[in-house]
């Protein structure tokens, strides 16, 4: 915990560097003081099948879902969302003629039912 899932539209594949973007987000999360660095697990998924509004012409997106154990305050969740969004803004390059939507959401993992083992 936490688990971070980054999804991006395939039309950004030529300009986006997912490993670097994940590294930047993980660094922000580690710096937040809310997580131990080795506990941050992230992955990126390129979406080949997507639709933005009614067409994809000149449109792209990057969305991050950060799943954290329940019990954090709304203020902490807002802080984490802002940190993720700042890392996205820094790590997603602009593309001429394309509007790229960047978004982040924080979701709760049910603390009593979450299980983890480190081997």
């Amino acid at each position: 915990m936490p688990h971070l899932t980054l999804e991006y539209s395939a039309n950004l594949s030529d300009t986006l560097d997912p490993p670097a973007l994940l590294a930047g987000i993980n660094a922000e999360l580690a710096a937040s003081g809310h997580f131990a660095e080795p506990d941050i697990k992230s992955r990126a998924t390129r979406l080949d099948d997507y639709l933005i509004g009614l067409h994809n012409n000149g449109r792209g997106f990057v969305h991050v879902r950060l799943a954290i154990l329940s019990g954090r305050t709304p203020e902490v969740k807002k802080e984490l969302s802002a940190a993720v969004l700042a890392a996205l803004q820094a790590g997603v390059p602009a593309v001429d003629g394309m509007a790229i939507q960047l978004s982040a959401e924080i979701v709760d993992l049910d603390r009593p039912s979450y299980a983890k083992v480190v081997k």
Side-chain angles (χ1 to χ4, degrees):
M1 192 286 306
H3 288 274
L4 183 142
T5 304
L6 181 145
E7 297 176 326
Y8 63 97
S9 55
N11 60 350
L12 300 177
S13 294
D14 291 341
T15 58
L16 197 65
D17 182 354
L21 189 53
L22 292 175
I25 297 169
N26 283 9
E28 286 288 331
L29 294 175
S32 75
H34 294 290
F35 312 108
E37 177 270 327
D39 290 338
I40 304 167
K41 292 160 292 289
S42 59
R43 73 278 288 155
T45 303
R46 175 183 134 155
L47 300 173
D48 292 316
D49 299 316
Y50 64 94
L51 184 62
I52 302 168
L54 298 177
H55 62 82
N56 294 331
N57 298 340
R59 299 173 182 173
F61 72 88
V62 180
H63 176 73
V64 170
R65 178 184 182 114
L66 180 65
I68 62 175
L69 287 175
S70 59
R72 302 276 187 353
T73 66
E75 293 78 19
V76 167
K77 291 178 186 179
K78 184 175 181 179
E79 173 191 332
L80 292 170
S81 181
V84 170
L85 195 57
L88 287 177
Q89 288 178 296
V92 176
V95 176
D96 286 339
M98 184 177 294
I100 304 171
Q101 297 180 39
L102 307 176
S103 57
E105 70 175 317
I106 310 299
V107 297
D108 286 331
L109 295 169
D110 183 55
R111 188 176 290 270
S113 66
Y114 183 81
K116 174 182 169 180
V117 173
V118 178
K119 290 178 76 173

